């Protein structure tokens, strides 16, 4: 399956997450809830996750 096809499968979930993030803004370098939400979703998708990059950053690694 192509990445494009996989992206279409999770599109509605990504839109929901984006809306949640925008409804619950956090100050710069204090995005702890946002980082947790993103990390959890990436892990659910089977993506390797590194958290606390630059304090609140999240990196997902596609293999």
């Amino acid at each position: 399956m192509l990445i494009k096809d996989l992206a279409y499968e999770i599109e509605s979930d990504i839109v929901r997450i984006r809306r949640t993030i925008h409804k619950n803004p956090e100050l710069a370098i204090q995005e702890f809830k946002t980082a947790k939400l993103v990390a959890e979703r990436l892990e659910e998708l089977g993506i390797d996750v590194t958290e606390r990059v630059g304090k609140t950053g999240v990196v997902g690694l596609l293999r």
Side-chain angles (χ1 to χ4, degrees):
M1 184 176 282
L2 297 174
I3 290 177
K4 181 179 173 182
D5 297 328
L6 293 171
Y8 283 126
E9 284 185 21
I10 63 170
E11 180 180 17
S12 63
D13 190 40
I14 298 303
V15 170
R16 180 189 57 77
I17 290 170
R18 180 183 52 106
R19 288 179 179 158
T20 298
I21 291 169
H22 285 253
K23 286 180 185 178
N24 301 284
E26 296 176 276
L27 297 175
I29 314 300
Q30 296 179 22
E31 306 96 334
F32 298 105
K33 292 177 185 176
T34 298
K36 182 178 179 187
L37 177 66
V38 170
E40 287 174 352
R41 185 60 182 122
L42 290 174
E43 288 172 345
E44 288 171 6
L45 292 169
I47 296 172
D48 292 334
V49 173
T50 302
E51 297 181 69
R52 296 181 198 95
V53 176
K55 192 171 180 181
T56 59
V58 176
V59 175
L61 180 61
L62 293 172
R63 296 188 186 269

